[in-house]
Amino acid sequence: MLKATKESKGPDDGRRGDIVRAAARLFRDKGYDGASMRAIANAVGMQCGSPFYHFASKQDILVAVVEEGLRQGLEKTRAVISPSLIAREQFLALVKVHLSIILEEGNDFIPVMLYNWRCLDDMHQRRLIATKDEYDAIWQDAINALAKDGLIQSEPKFARLMILGSMNFMVTWYKQRPGDSLETLADKVVQFCLCS
Amino acid sequence: MLKATKESKGPDDGRRGDIVRAAARLFRDKGYDGASMRAIANAVGMQCGSPFYHFASKQDILVAVVEEGLRQGLEKTRAVISPSLIAREQFLALVKVHLSIILEEGNDFIPVMLYNWRCLDDMHQRRLIATKDEYDAIWQDAINALAKDGLIQSEPKFARLMILGSMNFMVTWYKQRPGDSLETLADKVVQFCLCS
DNA sequence: CCTACCGATCGGTAGG
DNA sequence: CCTACCGATCGGTAGG
């Protein structure tokens, strides 16, 4: 009786969630245009027309991927926010969680958003940008605190763009190696960004 | 008699060059898969089959775009290298030229390379990566000099990835405003990256 | 969710 | 470099 019934609206439940995850993987690997509906369908063992039982269009699948990414990202990010942390430790925690969001295997949603944003209709962009702004606001607060402690010297708004940009671009070059962890990487990011 | 004759091999001469420039613009705006051969042809006033008189395939146009980007990029970058500059000034000069390469209007080649690299065949990737490495080596030298002067505290190789990554990601968010110049932006980048 | 199919568009080609 | 066309593949749909 504790299990979700058919009324469950969990975004990754059932076949719909399978499609979203498979699409995210394929969009990340081949791009939105490069991943065909047939490839997405086959990746979850369906025939080529069947995803359209769950989604009205390919565009709607992309929207679902980005929404799921923002939802998970905001959830994980809010979970490491703690007023008791000093600025540097709060920043390190944010860097760690962001690196896991964009680099950890299976976390394809945010990379898809970052590199396929322009494939979204204007309407969907406008709607989703509000959630993106929430994400940015969390970072801005943490970076403002760094500035107050003298740990960065740039304008905090510019620093946010540089910091998130340098991490987001890691998607294009980071290859997971057995030796090093994302924790080590996070330490290096903090060391690079802060002057102390 | 000083003008180039039909023997000229200048990469941007004539209709071939027109195609490469138009394709770069479209690849940047819509992505490699999103820009059709018909759109490229029409952008230079050709019919849909005519670009194939100049290029064997769409892939070959992408290769030409990336090659032209690397050629121009290396040329402009080498032009600002000067052993007489102190580390910080050399770094500023490199940042300035890199920002112009990726953000100035009409400079679509390197952005296409950065965001459509995976659309290149493995063979072409392998061949072009050698030139990319030359590019990186110039930056690495300049950043090693910064480290020697104590202006950065990270490992120089990691610093290079962070610095170029933060700039390369600007392609996704920078909008040219009438007020501010790339020079101002370059100053801010240097201020953020160096601890002094 | 499958079967069978649609019109549109794709990259590319032959012949001139 | 244009004309006219090719086979393949695309996103999407009707009917069950």
Side-chain angles (χ1 to χ4, degrees), chain A residues 11-183:
Chain A
D12 49 6
D13 284 351
R15 298 300 273 153
R16 192 177 191 279
D18 292 341
I19 294 169
V20 173
R21 279 186 294 274
R25 176 72 186 271
L26 284 162
F27 290 160
R28 179 173 188 169
D29 286 350
K30 309 195 168 199
Y32 178 71
D33 290 318
S36 68
M37 287 298 298
R38 279 158 177 81
I40 295 169
N42 292 340
V44 293
M46 285 179 177
Q47 297 301 315
C48 71
S50 301
F52 293 101
Y53 171 78
H54 298 278
F55 293 92
S57 67
K58 187 183 182 183
Q59 174 79 198
D60 283 358
I61 299 182
L62 177 60
V63 170
V65 168
V66 173
E67 280 177 336
E68 177 65 5
L70 285 169
R71 197 194 61 74
Q72 282 188 19
L74 264 175
E75 183 182 307
K76 291 181 186 173
T77 302
R78 287 188 175 128
V80 300
I81 294 294
S82 167
S84 64
L85 293 175
I86 59 170
R88 188 195 175 93
E89 294 306 314
Q90 179 65 88
F91 181 63
L92 175 60
L94 280 173
V95 169
K96 270 183 194 169
V97 79
H98 192 69
L99 292 180
S100 91
I101 286 168
I102 62 173
L103 299 179
E104 232 162 42
E105 178 150 339
N107 289 355
D108 301 316
F109 305 106
I110 294 291
V112 168
M113 181 188 79
L114 293 173
Y115 292 94
N116 295 275
W117 181 257
R118 290 186 294 176
C119 297
L120 288 164
D121 294 344
D122 285 352
M123 189 190 65
H124 291 117
Q125 283 188 22
R126 271 192 294 272
R127 188 168 55 78
L128 292 167
I129 213 163
T131 314
K132 262 183 104 173
D133 288 344
E134 292 185 56
Y135 206 103
D136 286 339
I138 296 175
W139 276 90
Q140 196 61 70
D141 285 346
I143 290 169
N144 289 345
L146 292 176
K148 200 175 290 181
D149 285 7
L151 292 171
I152 55 165
Q153 46 206 343
S154 303
E155 305 167 35
K157 282 191 70 169
F158 183 74
R160 193 197 84 227
L161 290 164
M162 292 289 285
I163 291 163
L164 283 170
S166 62
M167 285 192 288
N168 290 341
F169 203 74
M170 288 180 186
V171 171
T172 71
W173 59 261
Y174 179 78
K175 308 289 172 215
Q176 197 162 4
R177 293 204 209 93
D180 49 26
S181 66
L182 291 185
E183 248 112 89

